[in-house]
Amino acid sequence: MELGILYAIIALIVGFGVGFGIRKQVGKKKLEEAVSKSDSIIKDAEQQARSIKKEAELEAKDTHLKSKAAFEKESQEKLRELQQTEKRLQNKEDTLEKRIELVEKREAELTRTEQSIADKRKHAEGLEKKYSDMILDVRKQLEQVAGISADEA
């Protein structure tokens, strides 16, 4: 009986050892599976992060290009409007310069005409005085020749 108890104790110790070894093996295997699964999850997460980052970069580039194109279009439109305004102003300036030249030309012509009229008036006044003097001289001569004055005649 002692031998049976000894075998039972040995069997029990061996059973505990084998059970502990199996449990250790199962725990190690579960740990390896958990580590493998966590590595897989981390790799998937990293891949998703890279994919999301790449999509965000592409979206940012697309947004930047769209904004740049819109800005360039708006700039071109503003430039075109400015050029049109500048052209209209230049046309108005040219028209005003032509009008000013015409007014100056008319003014100069008017000044020449006024001067010509003044010269003619002065000449006419000179002629009038000359002819009045001549008439007076002729009357005096006639009075001397006739021997009577114009009032007496």
Side-chain angles (χ1 to χ4, degrees), residues 3 8 16 23 27 37 40 47 49 68 76 96 107 114 134-135 152:
L3 198 54
F16 272 126
R23 184 168 182 241
K37 191 173 183 179
S40 175
Q47 181 62 34
K68 184 178 178 181
Q76 289 296 324
L96 284 174
E107 205 172 77
E114 286 174 348
M134 284 174 70
I135 290 172
E152 292 175 356

Side-chain angles (χ1 to χ4, degrees), residues 36-51:
S36 174
K37 191 173 183 179
S38 69
D39 286 345
S40 175
I41 290 172
I42 289 172
K43 284 180 184 176
D44 287 345
E46 287 174 347
Q47 181 62 34
Q48 283 180 344
R50 282 191 296 271
S51 177

Side-chain angles (χ1 to χ4, degrees), residues 6-151:
L6 186 62
Y7 285 132
I9 290 178
I10 291 176
L12 187 62
I13 290 175
V14 169
F16 272 126
V18 170
F20 184 71
I22 290 174
R23 184 168 182 241
K24 191 175 182 182
Q25 286 285 359
V26 169
K28 189 176 180 181
K29 188 166 182 146
K30 281 186 178 182
L31 180 63
E32 287 174 358
E33 286 176 4
V35 167
S36 174
K37 191 173 183 179
S38 69
D39 286 345
S40 175
I41 290 172
I42 289 172
K43 284 180 184 176
D44 287 345
E46 287 174 347
Q47 181 62 34
Q48 283 180 344
R50 282 191 296 271
S51 177
I52 290 171
K53 181 181 175 184
K54 194 170 192 175
E55 283 180 32
E57 287 173 350
L58 289 173
E59 189 174 327
K61 282 182 183 179
D62 186 48
T63 302
H64 174 72
L65 290 174
K66 285 180 182 177
S67 296
K68 184 178 178 181
F71 175 76
E72 286 176 359
K73 182 179 179 184
E74 186 178 333
S75 294
Q76 289 296 324
E77 181 65 25
K78 294 288 184 187
L79 179 62
R80 187 182 60 76
E81 288 174 9
L82 284 173
Q83 288 171 340
Q84 287 177 345
T85 302
E86 186 177 336
K87 187 176 180 180
R88 279 195 309 270
L89 288 174
Q90 185 63 45
N91 288 341
K92 285 182 179 182
E93 186 178 332
D94 291 344
T95 302
L96 284 174
E97 285 177 5
K98 287 177 183 176
R99 286 182 180 175
I100 289 171
E101 285 177 16
L102 183 61
V103 166
E104 287 174 348
K105 192 183 277 186
R106 286 181 181 170
E107 205 172 77
E109 187 177 320
L110 182 61
T111 302
R112 282 192 307 273
T113 303
E114 286 174 348
Q115 185 62 43
S116 174
I117 291 171
D119 290 345
K120 287 179 182 178
R121 177 178 286 143
K122 190 174 182 181
H123 181 67
E125 287 172 355
L127 287 175
E128 182 181 9
K129 183 169 182 346
K130 180 181 172 184
Y131 292 134
S132 291
D133 290 345
M134 284 174 70
I135 290 172
L136 284 175
D137 284 343
V138 168
R139 276 191 186 162
K140 282 182 185 177
Q141 287 176 2
L142 283 174
E143 286 176 2
Q144 284 177 355
V145 170
I148 59 170
S149 69
D151 291 336

